[in-house]
């Protein structure tokens, strides 16, 4: 894990599979939103998916992701919800965030 600068759009979770690396991140403008959420995409994604974390994990915007990809990132967000919410809390407090890296085993 490494510390990142709050002034950029912080990546909070990198979920690495054999086929794709999913980037979970906050936009710096998210600081002004009250409802916890993350944006998700991969390197080639132009329009990111937006996922609410409270009161439950649910899709807000699909972005450029396919239905199957949305299902995958929703499952990841559900699995790591508590850690993502902790990252959100640190972000809202202006504290440094550590990127969580997860490598999915085959």
């Amino acid at each position: 894990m490494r510390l990142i600068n709050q002034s950029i759009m912080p990546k909070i979770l990198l979920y690495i599979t054999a086929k794709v690396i999913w980037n979970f991140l906050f936009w710096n403008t998210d600081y002004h939103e009250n409802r916890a959420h993350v944006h998700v995409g991969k390197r080639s994604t132009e329009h990111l998916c937006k996922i609410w974390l409270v009161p439950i994990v649910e899709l807000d915007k699909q972005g450029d992701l396919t239905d199957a990809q949305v299902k995958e990132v929703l499952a990841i967000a559900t699995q790591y919800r508590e850690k993502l919410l902790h990252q959100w809390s640190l972000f809202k407090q202006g504290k440094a965030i550590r990127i969580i890296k997860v490598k999915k085993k085959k």
Side-chain angles (χ1 to χ4, degrees):
M1 293 184 175
R2 68 180 176 89
L3 292 175
I4 58 176
N5 182 331
Q6 286 295 103
S7 65
I8 61 172
M9 289 166 281
K11 290 180 184 175
I12 57 170
L13 171 66
L14 294 177
Y15 192 87
I16 303 163
T17 71
K19 295 182 180 181
V20 66
I21 298 174
W22 291 112
N23 297 302
F24 288 69
L25 55 94
F26 301 135
W27 293 116
N28 47 2
T29 56
D30 288 345
Y31 181 80
H32 302 289
E33 289 195 47
N34 291 324
R35 189 173 176 195
H37 64 279
V38 293
H39 302 273
V40 186
K42 53 187 179 175
R43 181 171 291 193
S44 61
T45 304
E46 189 170 323
H47 298 285
L48 299 179
C49 170
K50 182 176 179 180
I51 298 173
W52 297 115
L53 299 173
V54 291
I56 61 171
V57 173
E58 63 182 331
L59 180 66
D60 179 45
K61 296 177 185 168
Q62 186 162 340
D64 288 342
L65 276 57
T66 65
D67 291 344
Q69 291 171 329
V70 167
K71 184 177 178 181
E72 181 178 357
V73 296
L74 283 171
I76 296 166
T78 299
Q79 181 178 358
Y80 290 91
R81 180 177 179 265
E82 292 306 315
K83 289 183 180 189
L84 295 171
L85 286 171
H86 178 71
Q87 298 284 60
W88 178 262
S89 176
L90 293 173
F91 173 70
K92 292 292 279 183
Q93 294 173 45
K95 294 183 178 178
I97 297 173
R98 295 182 181 267
I99 298 173
I100 302 165
K101 289 186 180 182
V102 176
K103 290 185 181 180
K104 182 180 174 188
K105 296 178 182 176
K106 293 180 182 180

